[in-house]
Amino acid sequence: MNSNVTRRTAIGLGAAAAALAATGRPAAAAEGRASAAPATGTRATGGVEVIRRTYLEQKAAAGGVWHSHIAMVDRAGTLATVVADDADRVTHGYSVQKLAVAVAVMDKIDRGQLRLDQRLDLTADIILGGSGIYFLQTVWGDQVTVANFLTAMLLVSDNTAVRMCGRVVPALEINDILAAKGFVHTRVEPVANPNRFYLGVTTPRETHDLLWRLANKTILTPRSADFLLGILRWINGYHDGIRRTMSSAERSRVATKYGADYDELGAARHEAGIMFDPAGAPTLTYALFADSLGDLDNYGSTHPAVQAHAVLGRTMFDAICTTTNRAARARHHVPPFRPVDGG
């Protein structure tokens, strides 16, 4: 973990123990640059070129060091890489890593060893601040379901919810599940307490793979995949980045998760997700990891990297408006979002 452990990275430990747990930057693959040419067999459409150009422009404007992967279904219905910029870099996932934790929990549910309606007590000693909702209650003693804390973890990035996940799927088991699913680098970082952990590391390419398999219902059962995607696509989620300049209906077609922290190299602002066509078929994935940035304490929409995400989000969404994943339309149909009321 970081030599400067912050409120968002100390998921697994108390403050005193966190200060003793600091380590260096993870090992990384060779440096790369954003891909300038289409993948083999891919026809470079106007939308693809606009995404590439916008990515390079926004990366330069925001500064820092970026590690990214963007892929989109082309006109032939094939998923093709649009941007591969240092996509195999092993990097701290921060709260984007909560996607992998959620997949591990749902895998245990799929195997019948856990239930979404199983209840756990929410006690004061497990509460962690930084982001989320549980710490805002000021009094605790709730009985919450697995479904409840998974929703809090993905929708509002609740850090206490990560500790709740660790109570039902210990750190080493999470890593075993991820390894069994073929992930080489995506891991949480165990600590002395087996039920707590740091969020650990991943790569842009593995994050893309997780998202694509989740959207295509191949990493989990369809029911479990739909549960997680329903949370990630809900319009009350994160709006500062990719989904900032979208309507409610457009936002409901984007499943997204952000992560933000800082270390000795500077601020990190990450966001990863998947966009769907109007029939609900997965059409575009993005995994944007940016570190060594300034503006350390700005977690809002004015951070330059988050502003870059917003521009990229609009650009990518506009690019898929004319793209239909016909091969997946039937099995991925999701009704359009319709608000119930204004409350």
Side-chain angles (χ1 to χ4, degrees), residues 9-235:
T9 56
I11 296 292
L13 305 173
L20 299 174
T23 60
R25 185 181 179 90
E31 293 287 343
R33 293 189 302 169
S35 175
T40 302
T42 304
R43 179 164 49 158
T45 64
V48 167
E49 294 305 326
V50 170
I51 292 172
R52 287 198 185 106
R53 183 173 67 249
T54 302
Y55 171 80
L56 292 171
E57 290 171 350
Q58 293 304 310
K59 172 186 171 181
V65 180
W66 289 56
H67 329 287
S68 304
H69 189 284
I70 301 173
M72 186 171 73
V73 173
D74 64 18
R75 291 178 178 176
T78 301
L79 183 69
T81 299
V82 177
V83 170
D85 184 3
D86 202 15
D88 295 308
R89 165 75 65 169
V90 179
T91 187
H92 289 297
Y94 297 125
S95 286
V96 169
Q97 201 80 338
K98 292 170 183 175
L99 292 169
V101 173
V103 165
V105 174
M106 295 307 299
D107 178 83
K108 196 164 183 175
I109 289 172
D110 284 346
R111 289 182 283 114
Q113 298 179 5
L114 188 65
R115 302 189 320 274
L116 275 177
D117 63 356
Q118 188 168 322
R119 294 178 181 272
L120 282 75
D121 54 334
L122 184 66
T123 56
D125 62 304
I126 202 171
I127 299 299
L128 186 66
S131 62
I133 54 173
Y134 293 135
F135 75 97
L136 296 170
Q137 294 180 191
T138 70
V139 295
W140 300 278
D142 315 55
Q143 291 283 320
V144 299
T145 62
V146 173
N148 182 301
F149 61 73
L150 283 175
T151 301
M153 183 174 71
L154 295 180
L155 193 67
V156 294
S157 205
D158 195 288
N159 285 335
T160 299
V162 178
R163 289 183 167 181
M164 298 292 278
C165 289
R167 291 173 63 185
V168 295
V169 191
L172 293 179
E173 186 177 359
I174 290 175
N175 285 342
D176 286 345
I177 291 169
L178 294 173
K181 291 185 179 297
F183 297 106
V184 176
H185 302 292
T186 304
R187 298 287 189 271
V188 298
E189 183 180 337
V191 296
N193 183 334
N195 298 109
R196 293 190 183 178
F197 49 85
Y198 288 115
L199 286 169
V201 297
T202 188
T203 73
R205 198 181 305 276
E206 287 198 356
T207 300
H208 149 78
D209 184 46
L210 184 151
L211 288 163
W212 188 246
R213 291 165 64 188
L214 180 66
N216 282 281
K217 322 291 176 68
T218 60
I219 199 170
L220 296 168
T221 64
R223 182 175 182 178
S224 292
D226 284 338
F227 172 73
L228 296 184
L229 290 168
I231 299 167
L232 294 166
R233 293 177 64 171
W234 189 236
I235 62 164

